[in-house]
Amino acid sequence: MAQSHVLLIHTGGTLGMAPTGDPTSLAPGPSLDRVLEEVPELRQLASLKLVVAFNRDSAGNEPEDILDLARLIRAQAATCDGVVLVHGTDTMAFTATLLGFLLADLGKPVVLTGSQRPLAYIRSDARSNLVDAVTLATKGIPEIGVCFGDHWYRGVATHKLSVHRYEAFESPNLPPLAELGLHVQVHPHAGRFDRNVPPGLGGAFESALAVYAPFPGMPWALPPDGTRGVLLEAYGAGNLPMGRPDLQALFAHCRARDIPLVISSQCPWGWVDLDTYELGALAVEAGAIGAGRQTRWAAIAKMGLVLGAGGSIAEVREALSTSWAGEPV
Ligand code: ASP
């Protein structure tokens, strides 16, 4: 059988990092130019073409970098059977979410991976993650997902949950797409989702979003001038201290300016249900939009994409109540 063609795009992250400085810390190394020498078994899996899009700690990525990546992948898609994207773990869930929306119709696998320890280190998880990611990229399953620690997760539902564990990611409200143990077990929902992404997104991303992580007693400051959207990472099912005058002032400020105010949960598992408690019902009355089962990344990505395309508060509301690319809502 002819070998699959896999495009390997490097963007940075721990996988390709090297120790530097005194005291020693990890910084981007000489990219992944030698990956095929260091992990020669990848050639047994596919014919690989390497592209270095950029090479940095993913904490330095901007949304525009990810919009560019989406364009690069779309432009190259006809030349390959699948794509592996090497990426830092810190913002991989955001990138996977944005790409999951922007490339929902690509029809080919895009597998994001990285590692907790650099490829050059002993006991690194880089080698197995790379091998697993390339394996998945040859399978023809049209999904944009994160392959990490023996699992493949749908990107638009993914969250980084551990700083240290090799099982660093999960999609808390959606079972994994595949498990890579002795066998590669692909689950039936992989590649099966309705594509409802509105047309015309991805030209620009609106980053003027204010995100609040409440704690009891937190003063509720108004968002900075120029804010276009607000995300409140509420307690549990979406509860907030709605009796607080400063929080009421924040809601009134957003209502008066048509600024969408979205409520997600501080809990990764479970979902926002603004009907459960009186406080949730008061938030709805005050204009809040519940994020349901969507991660903070999906809520931020939808606001950024819709507002970036000039969309209205009604379109943000519609976006948060519709599954665009298989994310549970
Ligand atoms: N700081 C690194 C990054 O996101 C962490 C990692 O890759 O694991 O680039």
Side-chain angles (χ1 to χ4, degrees), residues 157-168:
T158 309
H159 198 51
K160 179 178 176 181
L161 285 165
S162 176
V163 178
H164 302 289
R165 291 179 59 213
Y166 283 169
E167 279 282 354

Side-chain angles (χ1 to χ4, degrees), residues 23-264:
T24 306
S25 56
L26 286 174
S31 77
L32 272 192
D33 290 341
R34 293 192 319 279
V35 67
L36 294 178
E37 289 154 43
E38 296 198 24
V39 196
E41 59 268 42
L42 293 178
R43 285 198 198 281
Q44 293 173 37
L45 298 169
S47 155
L48 288 146
K49 181 178 150 198
L50 177 67
V51 172
V52 180
F54 42 87
N55 184 27
R56 69 171 86 97
D57 193 303
S58 75
N61 290 351
E62 298 287 334
E64 289 68 29
D65 298 321
I66 314 309
L67 302 187
D68 284 346
L69 273 180
R71 290 183 201 107
L72 171 72
I73 293 170
R74 215 175 258 291
Q76 299 272 331
T79 67
C80 64
D81 301 299
V83 177
V84 170
L85 192 71
V86 175
H87 195 289
T89 60
D90 288 342
T91 62
M92 193 186 294
F94 175 73
T95 296
T97 302
L98 261 189
L99 293 181
F101 291 146
L102 294 174
L103 302 174
D105 61 339
L106 192 73
K108 292 187 177 178
V110 176
V111 188
L112 291 90
T113 197
S115 69
Q116 296 281 49
R117 278 170 82 85
L119 177 59
Y121 281 24
I122 196 159
R123 278 191 61 250
S124 170
D125 51 333
R127 187 172 296 268
S128 57
N129 283 347
L130 271 175
V131 168
D132 285 348
V134 173
T135 302
L136 289 168
T138 65
K139 293 211 171 290
I141 303 162
E143 283 276 2
I144 319 298
V146 170
C147 171
F148 216 93
D150 301 336
H151 288 88
W152 194 26
Y153 302 102
R154 182 169 290 159
V156 290
T158 309
H159 198 51
K160 179 178 176 181
L161 285 165
S162 176
V163 178
H164 302 289
R165 291 179 59 213
Y166 283 169
E167 279 282 354
F169 287 85
E170 279 210 33
S171 50
N173 290 320
L174 187 76
L177 300 170
E179 286 164 60
L180 298 106
L182 182 58
H183 304 288
V184 179
Q185 195 187 351
V186 179
H187 295 302
H189 64 292
R192 301 216 173 106
F193 58 90
D194 292 332
R195 289 151 179 88
N196 296 308
V197 183
L201 302 182
F205 188 92
E206 178 54 78
S207 298
L209 306 173
V211 179
Y212 294 70
F215 60 88
M218 186 179 90
W220 290 89
L222 294 180
D225 285 350
T227 297
R228 300 279 318 282
V230 168
L231 180 69
L232 305 183
E233 298 188 295
Y235 309 122
N239 297 311
L240 293 164
M242 294 304 295
R244 286 275 300 252
D246 49 359
L247 179 57
Q248 291 168 5
L250 169 59
F251 272 79
H253 176 93
C254 291
R255 270 198 315 275
R257 288 162 184 77
D258 270 347
I259 296 173
L261 189 154
V262 176
I263 295 184
S264 65

